[in-house]
Amino acid sequence: MARSRMTRRHGWATVALLCAVVSSAAACTAATGKPAATEAKAKATASAPSCAGGAVRWTSVHRERRLTEVSPVVNVRESDGGVTFHPGLVRNIVAQVSTSDDRVSAHQVLAALTKRLKRWDVDQLAAPGKESADRRRNPVKVDFLGHAGRFVEAEAVQAVEASFTVTCPGGDIYGSVTTWFGSSGASLACGVNPHTKEPWVQEAYRLTCGPLRL
């Protein structure tokens, strides 16, 4: 038994020596077999039929406005007139498309989602990697002449999260997508119920004005 274990150790040492001494990658491939298997897998993937025309079936689609920015509370007097608000970042939504097979492209998924959402153009949806925090945002100026109180400005985007299945040769491909589009704004007065069921508005109120009394 001891001799058998020594023989195995000697055999592995010989393989290691071959890879160290012989500079040819083919020699190491023949000794280990791993690079050859990787190459075969890559060839199989490259020869697999394209899935560009596969039908996309949506298993779930969730769409809602999400709060992205809110300003600090500003104390306004009746004589102040125009007041400028500077919304700060609350959350950043990053668009992404994930699939179980790269034969399905992100553009194919977003194009199908555009039809599902009844949007006009795929360019309206944020492409993978695009962040809501990077969109152009400007200070918000509001005319409060004759109105006094504590006020807040909030902004939101339409966020979409969905999962899907694509019919492809050789089996279905599965994936998920997160994207966003558009922009919404709201002016809130602290101490005044905004009377809305929109979660993003209620969140903005709680973050700045305190508990919301319905």
Side-chain angles (χ1 to χ4, degrees), residues 8-145:
R8 290 195 188 96
R9 286 200 295 270
H10 181 70
W12 284 113
T14 302
V15 172
L17 182 60
L18 281 173
C19 291
V21 174
V22 183
S23 59
S24 169
C28 286
T29 299
T32 63
K34 293 182 180 179
T38 302
E39 182 179 351
K41 183 178 179 181
K43 288 182 178 179
T45 301
S47 62
S50 171
C51 197
V56 180
R57 304 190 305 275
W58 297 101
T59 53
S60 69
V61 178
H62 181 67
R63 167 180 166 180
E64 69 172 348
R65 288 188 181 90
R66 288 188 185 167
L67 180 68
T68 52
E69 294 92 22
V70 68
S71 74
V73 175
V74 176
N75 291 306
V76 179
R77 298 168 299 182
E78 290 187 6
S79 60
D80 281 345
V83 177
T84 300
F85 294 81
H86 299 273
L89 188 66
V90 172
R91 66 170 50 86
N92 182 28
I93 302 173
V94 183
Q96 61 180 350
V97 176
S98 301
T99 64
S100 59
D101 191 312
D102 57 11
R103 286 182 294 154
V104 175
S105 69
H107 185 273
Q108 178 182 352
V109 173
L110 292 177
L113 185 58
T114 299
K115 295 179 181 179
R116 178 67 170 75
L117 297 173
K118 295 181 172 57
R119 305 300 297 173
W120 297 282
D121 194 336
V122 68
D123 291 337
Q124 289 184 310
L125 301 181
K130 189 172 182 181
E131 304 181 13
S132 62
D134 289 339
R135 78 189 196 284
R136 184 175 180 180
R137 302 189 308 276
N138 298 309
V140 180
K141 188 171 183 178
V142 182
D143 186 0
F144 285 100
L145 187 61

